[in-house]
Amino acid sequence: MIKREAILASLATTLALDRNTPIGEFKSTWRSLSDGELEKTEEFLNGPIFEWQARPVLVLAVEGGTPAERNAAMSALIEAQVALLDTARQQLITAGLIDDLRAVDPDFSATDLWGAVGVKAADLTIEIDYWSDQSVG
């Protein structure tokens, strides 16, 4: 198994969600983990060993209520997901799968793509640094 797949599968399990789920009908909140991008940041021929950075994206949406209520619901959802990411970070480091995991500031521009009144959406990119002996990540 490619190490990136093991990392993303473990992350999805810890976050208790599916990967790459298309949006459908939802009530209140919706979450999915998109596999995102992968970049090789360093290559060492003495091994060979490859340093990677994966950037999966946690896609979040909330619906209903007033704009202020949606903002509050999104803030609470992001905080909850960041807490779960902290747990996932510790588990993945302890398992020897990653060196580090961090969430970057959420991107709220995804709201324009949804085109639905009463929905607030955000993309939360997760940067994961790890090493692998495989040239495919």
Side-chain angles (χ1 to χ4, degrees):
M1 174 185 283
I2 296 172
K3 192 169 184 182
R4 175 179 185 236
E5 283 300 310
I7 292 167
L8 292 177
S10 179
L11 181 60
T13 298
T14 301
L15 296 175
L17 51 79
D18 294 324
R19 288 171 51 194
N20 304 310
T21 305
I23 185 69
E25 294 290 322
F26 71 95
K27 295 290 181 201
S28 182
T29 62
W30 182 83
R31 311 175 305 133
S32 179
L33 183 66
S34 168
D35 288 356
E37 300 176 4
L38 178 67
E39 177 185 354
K40 182 169 42 175
T41 57
E42 192 71 57
E43 182 175 337
F44 298 93
L45 299 177
N46 218 4
I49 299 291
F50 305 92
E51 183 179 9
W52 296 94
Q53 185 177 76
R55 288 190 259 346
V57 178
L58 187 55
V59 183
L60 308 170
V62 296
E63 75 162 349
T66 66
E69 290 170 332
R70 286 190 298 275
N71 287 341
M74 180 59 75
S75 292
L77 183 58
I78 289 171
E79 286 178 24
Q81 299 313 295
V82 168
L84 287 172
L85 287 171
D86 287 340
T87 299
R89 178 182 182 273
Q90 291 306 315
Q91 290 174 348
L92 291 166
I93 288 173
T94 300
L97 290 174
I98 69 168
D99 293 320
D100 199 12
L101 178 151
R102 64 204 155 275
V104 300
D105 291 336
D107 176 8
F108 296 100
S109 64
T111 301
D112 298 337
L113 301 175
W114 295 61
V117 176
V119 175
K120 182 174 181 92
D123 290 340
L124 186 62
T125 300
I126 306 159
E127 294 180 342
I128 302 172
D129 300 324
Y130 67 97
W131 295 86
S132 175
D133 60 358
Q134 297 175 329
S135 62
V136 293

